Amino acid sequence: MMTDTIIANLPADGLRVVMRSLLVLFPEITHAFECETKKYVEQRVMSSLIGKDTMPSVPDLEKTQQIARSMLGCGLSFESLQLFQNLVSQAAILIPRMNGSRLGELYTFLMSVDGDIVQAMTAVQKSLFIDTGARAMNNGERSLVETLHQSLTSCFSTLKTSKRDYPFGRSLVSTAGILGLPRPALPDAYQDLVDQISLTPSPLQARETFQLNGRKIPRIFSGLWQMSSPAWGAASSSKIVEQFSTHVRQGFTAFDMADHYGDAEIIFGRFSSLYPHRDAIFTATKYCVFHPMVVSREAVQANVTERCRRLQSEKIDLLQFHWQFYENPDYLDALRFLVEDDRVGTVGLCNFDTKHLLKVVESGIKVDTNQVQFSLVDSRPVFEMGSACEKHNIKLLTYGTLCGGFLADKWLGKTEPDIYDGSTTPSQRKYFEMIRSWGGWNLFQELLTALHIIATKHQVAISNVATRWVLDFPYVGAVIVGARMGISEHTDENLSSFGWSLDQSDRDMIEEILMRSRRLEIFQKVGDCGAEYR
């Protein structure tokens, strides 16, 4: 009775806090949580459908979106498509009837739905690459995708007639790709993108580069992981492409993405295929194995084929391989097949620890990079990974270097954030937990204060000092800075990370604080690089 009283009376935000805490502390309950969620949302599917004759408000639509998102979260990707199709149909009805602020509110909501559908298509695509390789959709699955695509196409035609903006451009491309539709069959909704890209001038020379398999590569990559979910915000294809153009103009010509980052490969592929200076762009993507699979040359080649299709390219500059199950040594065979594939320019690793990186090297497999988390707050690579990389001429590509944006001027002097606030991003939740493990918010404020003093001395920002600290390690090739494409722009700020280095007094000031942190304890308890994902 008492626990039921808590559940009945605790505010929704409080329930979320408790659920997140339970899943972190007791990960073994995750499967049961997902199973019960499936039962709940499957019972709510039909009641979430909105009738064609109604005039729902945005809050009404949001309830349907919440159920659809929950279905995605517990693995019901195909089952969620009916709800998304319903939302698209409602959009075609509502947009021509609305004006002013109500219309603006609706478009903001529908752009988030556009991102959700992209995420659903990514989940569908990943489900087709489990076990022995690529499989075809069955008739029922294909019918669900076709119905959604038809609704997207119909909505486009309706809004074109009423001269209203179309909010589902990314979804239209993603669903067409899953169905294997030829590009001429798509409505020509993207001529403005073609015009933007064709006018993009040649990029500036990167101010700092490193050598990777014979190529000069910028030492800052633009990371596209935030395109994997609308939780970081949603933007239209045209705005995203506009920022791609801005990045390459400034010399940020290296982009990092993955097979599970939403439609990052698709939109970037469209941009790079039309960009007049494509040879100047460096494309890094990933092949991530999160589920057990039977490794074969055919299965590995099928994944490479899919990467090339989405990127609209005959070759991938850098393909980074993630393997979830160290106890299964078949990852060595998969890497050999990748190295032997002429379509892969360079093979790298992603979230491999030192022990298994060395197993790869000792097996005679040539890898040139390893992508790992590395920052002032998570310095695990300095203990073992760095020396192994130097010995075998492997460069680290580092992410999390800005701790989800916490290593920035905006957090200096601020109180500890509420990480369960609705505006908090998944990255901020993740890295705030890392800050707690590292030494807590008070010590983190001491670190920000020191970084601010150093930044003032060099006339840069705190984020530049944090980036520079990582770049100054000889085994680091580049830092990957997350880019919220179409939402926020930081290329000018990122440029300030180049052209200077920390002097000894700067390093000493930082080290005095790091010595009081629990950096070694993180390495000992969490494990080597990538262990937090296993």
Side-chain angles (χ1 to χ4, degrees), residues 51-70:
K52 292 183 179 180
D53 298 327
T54 61
M55 272 290 287
S57 63
V58 170
D60 293 329
L61 299 175
E62 286 175 341
K63 292 177 182 177
T64 299
Q65 181 190 39
Q66 287 171 346
I67 295 296
R69 283 179 167 178
S70 297

Side-chain angles (χ1 to χ4, degrees), residues 225 372-376 378 398-404 407 430-431 480:
W225 64 78
V372 297
Q373 190 168 295
F374 192 10
S375 71
L376 286 158
D378 181 7
T398 73
Y399 64 92
T401 300
L402 299 180
C403 287
L407 283 165
K430 170 185 174 180
Y431 291 111
I480 304 169

